[in-house]
Amino acid sequence: MTFHTLGLSAPLLDAIDAMGYTMPTPIQAKAIPFIVKGTDVLGIAQTGTGKTAAFALPILEELLQFPKRPLPNAPRALILAPTRELAQQIFEAIEGFAQNTSIQSAVAYGGVSIVTQTKALEAGVDILVATPGRLMDHMRQKTVDLSRLECLVLDEADRMLDMGFVKDIRAILRYCPAEKQSILLSATMSAEIRGLARSMLHSPKVIEIAPNKDVALIEQTIYRVAQSRKRDLLRDLIVDNGWEQTLVFTRMKHA
């Protein structure tokens, strides 16, 4: 199976090719056809399996098939993510997929000025990517209107529940129209996720791809070394292993 067999339009296929995507991942191959049809979807898949493209591409396809001029403050699709980093990552992916279209998107998260986000919403966007807390800020300031929402996505829903966003999510759901497509994506199928799914999904297609029972994709090793030698060890590991991307956690900023 290729992306060309999933019912996507030429502008999206050209963008996919330009971004270096070749074969769809299992979650993409199974979810995209159902989301394109407007079906609610509950997707369970590990982090790093391509969930962003699994919902972003069919949403873009829907917007292309039924184009409308974006209204001020009233996005057609809303994607909620638990962290600013993930929200920005999703936004950048959507921008890449939509590069050959006129579809407008924006991202809203805390820790930065709300003014720029407010101006983007006032100009009108088709897709809004947001963290729950910052979206609630916009709702309180009446700078976003969810009454015309056509599609709602909760990405990494289990993390959002773990981070205490459940009250915000339920408040957001109350402002969304009943007649909309809903997509819930999670790495686990806990009782809390099942309850959230029951409250927001209607006759969903359940797609389960290698659920997270353990961290099978991560190899873990520990090195017991004196504090004074940590930097030298890190340097040697990077050089000797030829690591091109490394994420280092430190206790303090200046470290």
Side-chain angles (χ1 to χ4, degrees), residues 3 22 45 59 61 64 68 70 92 94 105 110-111 118 129 154 158 161 180-181 193 204-205 221 229 242:
F3 284 102
T22 53
I59 289 173
E61 180 65 30
L64 287 174
K68 297 178 183 178
E92 291 173 359
I94 290 172
S105 56
T118 299
V129 185
L154 264 62
D158 49 348
L161 297 187
K180 67 181 181 309
Q181 183 180 22
I193 291 296
K205 173 64 179 178
T221 306
R229 296 190 58 222

Side-chain angles (χ1 to χ4, degrees), residues 8-167:
L8 300 174
S9 299
L12 298 181
L13 293 173
D14 290 343
I16 290 168
D17 290 339
M19 295 169 69
Y21 287 75
T22 53
M23 303 292 288
T25 66
I27 186 67
Q28 292 163 6
K30 292 189 176 183
I32 288 175
F34 286 101
I35 299 175
V36 165
K37 294 177 182 177
T39 304
D40 284 8
V41 167
L42 171 58
I44 308 297
Q46 288 184 345
T47 301
T49 54
K51 292 197 294 291
T52 298
F55 63 76
L57 288 170
I59 289 173
L60 289 167
E61 180 65 30
E62 180 76 6
L63 297 176
L64 287 174
Q65 293 300 318
F66 302 96
K68 297 178 183 178
R69 185 173 181 176
L71 296 174
N73 306 105
R76 296 178 64 186
L78 170 64
I79 301 166
L80 291 177
T83 65
R84 58 184 289 176
E85 292 81 10
L86 181 57
Q88 182 66 31
Q89 178 183 323
I90 294 170
F91 169 71
E92 291 173 359
I94 290 172
E95 289 278 277
F97 294 137
Q99 61 185 272
N100 301 318
T101 76
S102 60
I103 292 172
Q104 299 295 312
S105 56
V107 62
Y109 48 70
V112 296
S113 171
I114 200 171
V115 176
T116 302
Q117 300 167 7
T118 299
K119 289 181 178 178
L121 288 167
E122 288 175 349
V125 296
D126 297 288
I127 302 174
L128 174 63
V129 185
T131 54
R134 179 46 61 97
L135 181 63
M136 291 293 292
D137 292 338
H138 281 286
M139 292 170 67
R140 282 189 284 267
Q141 295 185 23
K142 300 187 184 304
T143 53
V144 67
D145 175 12
L146 302 181
S147 64
R148 293 180 174 85
L149 200 66
E150 298 171 23
C151 182
L152 171 65
V153 179
L154 264 62
D155 193 18
E156 299 208 6
D158 49 348
R159 287 184 63 192
M160 280 196 270
L161 297 187
D162 289 342
M163 294 171 69
F165 285 131
V166 64
K167 288 185 178 180

